Amino acid sequence: MGNYSATKIESRSGLSSREAEIIALIAAGHTNGLIAQRLFLAEKTVKNHVNKIYAKLGAASRSDAVARWLADAADGTAGQASS
């Protein structure tokens, strides 16, 4: 994940702090089940957060969401979904 932290990127990407935490774990290769265990959440709650992340970033998949999240962090655009 490089030098990116969830808290630094949350304000740029338009994600909540929890969503930023989850996308950081997705970027690290964690499954929804592992994220749920790590954050003491139900897997369904993680799935709900993932769906909100997709919507906010305009992403269609996990890899697309991570790419858009990292691109937002790199170029400083705040939550702008590209088409």
Side-chain angles (χ1 to χ4, degrees), residues 42-49 51:
E43 189 169 350
K44 175 62 175 159
T45 302
V46 173
K47 289 178 184 180
N48 289 337
H49 283 301
N51 286 327

Side-chain angles (χ1 to χ4, degrees), residues 6 13 18-19 21 27-28 31 35 38-39 48 52 54 59 65-66 77 79 81 83:
S13 65
R18 178 62 92 183
E19 291 164 348
E21 187 175 20
T31 63
I35 294 168
R38 182 168 178 163
L39 300 180
N48 289 337
K52 287 180 186 178
Y54 286 2
V66 170
T77 56
S83 325

Side-chain angles (χ1 to χ4, degrees), residues 6-79:
T7 54
K8 288 181 183 177
I9 298 173
E10 100 185 46
S11 61
R12 292 187 190 157
S13 65
L15 302 178
S16 70
S17 58
R18 178 62 92 183
E19 291 164 348
E21 187 175 20
I22 288 172
I23 193 71
L25 292 170
I26 291 170
H30 290 66
T31 63
N32 289 350
L34 289 174
I35 294 168
Q37 288 177 351
R38 182 168 178 163
L39 300 180
F40 304 102
L41 298 171
E43 189 169 350
K44 175 62 175 159
T45 302
V46 173
K47 289 178 184 180
N48 289 337
H49 283 301
V50 170
N51 286 327
K52 287 180 186 178
I53 292 166
Y54 286 2
K56 287 183 178 182
L57 297 179
S61 67
R62 288 171 90 81
S63 59
D64 187 26
V66 170
R68 289 172 187 253
W69 178 68
L70 292 174
D72 284 352
D75 68 16
T77 56

